[in-house]
Amino acid sequence: MTSKTMRRRLHHGDVDGKKNDHFVAAADLDDLKEPLLGTSDDYKPNHLQVQKLEDILYDKKRKQRLHWTFLFSNIISEWAQWLARVVLGSGSFLARVLTLPSTIGSGPTNKFLPPSLTPLQESRLRSLQKRLKVPFDGSCLEHQDALRQLWRSAYPNRELPGLKSEAWKDMGWQGNDPSTDFRGGGFISLENLIFFAHTYPEAFQNLLNKKEGNRAEWEYPFAVAGINISFMLVQMLDIQSGLPTSLSGVRFLQFLSNDESAFDELYCVAFKLMDAHWLARRASYMEFNEVIKSTRTQLERELAIEDATSVKDLPAYNLLR
């Protein structure tokens, strides 16, 4: 059986002779509690030991150093805020420069006081939040053109199909109409895919066509996975509205000040990292949700690296090269 044939069977949801006529939409994956691709009480992993990719990229020494770095940073943060309030006044420009985000509470679920934004950070954050509010509209000519642009980038040597065609299933859409898959991701998830295709074409093609690694018999559908990665990043960064209060969100604001395309760049890293976790776990169809969770965990760790000032400083960015 060819890989293309196997992907077609997956799109139709025929797994071991059992019909699964729909997948779980990204909007239903609040807190990633349910698998992307359905459920099965009979499914059992075939392997007992899973190689975690983070074990390759992180060692104990680095984790310990990061822990002490956070403690030291919090002390400096409190001192800086006190100095800014007492000496300079909270409204001055220098006060905003010296005031760093500080944690509330302790442990892995820390919330951070919203940081003071530079005008550039505020402008770029508002622009990103505006993008997040745009739903995909299949009747909008701009959105239709974006879908066609994605097809041309994915399959430059194939004829462009109609907006409703069985050919779209080859890209990993659930049915013959891609517009029905955007309920949770919105238009930005399509923009993310297009950005990936244009900025890192080789990595994009490798993921689209599943060229790397020992693949499972039942693979994740590429396009639907991409939508869920966009959704996961929005949750992780806490950027839907207002100022983020998570560590990842606060760190992301620093990246955004250095690169207007930081969200799209992080999306490309997240997609490639997800696939690397997929291969390392030897995952298949029903394990996609667990792979997304482990991908998010590693991204949160990498965003916490103090000397990283852009997405390209993250260790996982090397996977795109």
Side-chain angles (χ1 to χ4, degrees):
M1 183 182 296
T2 66
S3 60
K4 181 176 180 180
T5 302
M6 289 190 289
R7 285 198 298 272
R8 277 195 173 277
R9 287 186 62 192
L10 175 59
H11 301 321
H12 289 285
D14 187 355
V15 180
D16 295 334
K18 299 179 182 179
K19 289 288 183 179
N20 295 291
D21 294 330
H22 66 280
F23 298 131
V24 179
D28 299 325
L29 289 175
D30 187 29
D31 295 327
L32 300 173
K33 294 177 181 176
E34 298 294 335
L36 168 71
L37 303 176
T39 59
S40 172
D41 294 334
D42 300 326
Y43 178 80
K44 299 292 183 182
N46 293 324
H47 52 284
L48 298 177
Q49 295 183 342
V50 177
Q51 180 187 10
K52 294 183 179 180
L53 190 64
E54 54 263 40
D55 291 339
I56 299 174
L57 298 179
Y58 293 93
D59 55 27
K60 292 183 179 179
K61 183 176 179 181
R62 186 163 195 171
K63 290 179 182 178
Q64 291 174 353
R65 186 175 63 208
L66 186 59
H67 170 74
W68 289 110
T69 298
F70 278 137
L71 293 179
F72 181 73
S73 296
N74 289 338
I75 294 173
I76 293 298
S77 172
E78 294 178 3
W79 176 84
Q81 290 185 70
W82 174 84
L83 180 64
R85 287 193 299 266
V86 174
V87 179
L88 301 172
S90 59
S92 70
F93 172 76
L94 285 178
R96 293 198 300 270
V97 171
L98 286 178
T99 302
L100 305 175
S102 64
T103 58
I104 303 175
S106 60
T109 57
N110 279 349
K111 290 293 184 180
F112 282 70
L113 294 175
S116 298
L117 300 185
T118 66
L120 179 61
Q121 283 177 316
E122 184 171 3
S123 173
R124 289 179 173 177
L125 177 60
R126 298 292 173 254
S127 177
L128 178 56
Q129 289 171 339
K130 186 176 180 180
R131 291 174 63 193
L132 294 175
K133 294 178 181 179
V134 179
F136 182 86
D137 183 356
S139 64
C140 174
L141 293 179
E142 179 186 355
H143 294 192
Q144 293 176 4
D145 288 342
L147 264 180
R148 296 187 183 100
Q149 184 180 359
L150 177 63
W151 178 274
R152 294 189 186 97
S153 299
Y155 305 112
N157 299 320
R158 290 180 60 178
E159 181 181 356
L160 179 67
L163 293 175
K164 294 183 180 180
S165 169
E166 291 290 311
W168 287 102
K169 294 180 182 179
D170 292 341
M171 194 185 292
W173 301 101
Q174 297 182 43
N176 62 4
D177 182 4
S179 65
T180 62
D181 288 335
F182 285 98
R183 291 184 294 273
F187 184 59
I188 194 171
S189 58
L190 178 55
E191 292 180 314
N192 291 154
L193 282 167
I194 294 172
F195 179 90
F196 193 4
H198 288 178
T199 310
Y200 304 99
E202 184 177 354
F204 178 89
Q205 288 293 332
N206 285 342
L207 291 180
L208 171 65
N209 297 297
K210 309 294 176 63
K211 291 182 178 180
E212 297 177 344
N214 238 340
R215 293 288 169 178
E217 182 179 359
W218 300 112
E219 279 288 310
Y220 63 84
F222 174 81
V224 176
I227 291 175
N228 280 271
I229 289 171
S230 297
F231 180 75
M232 177 269 288
L233 286 179
V234 173
Q235 282 191 316
M236 182 185 77
L237 299 176
D238 188 29
I239 53 175
Q240 297 93 324
S241 60
L243 294 179
T245 57
S246 67
L247 172 60
S248 296
V250 171
R251 293 287 291 134
F252 174 74
L253 290 178
Q254 300 175 27
F255 290 9
L256 198 59
S257 65
N258 293 325
D259 183 1
E260 189 174 8
S261 302
F263 184 82
D264 301 271
E265 290 281 356
L266 189 60
Y267 171 87
C268 299
V269 171
F271 208 144
K272 188 67 176 177
L273 183 60
M274 182 279 294
D275 189 73
H277 274 265
W278 177 272
L279 293 174
R281 293 172 63 100
R282 300 178 183 176
S284 63
Y285 191 71
M286 298 303 296
E287 294 177 279
F288 183 86
N289 191 50
E290 293 304 315
V291 173
I292 281 285
K293 288 180 179 178
S294 63
T295 301
R296 172 171 173 166
T297 297
Q298 182 167 340
L299 282 175
E300 289 173 335
R301 290 179 179 178
E302 295 200 6
L303 285 168
I305 297 175
E306 186 178 298
D307 57 355
T309 60
S310 73
V311 174
K312 295 181 180 180
D313 291 333
L314 301 180
Y317 178 79
N318 293 317
L319 294 171
L320 288 170
R321 295 175 177 174

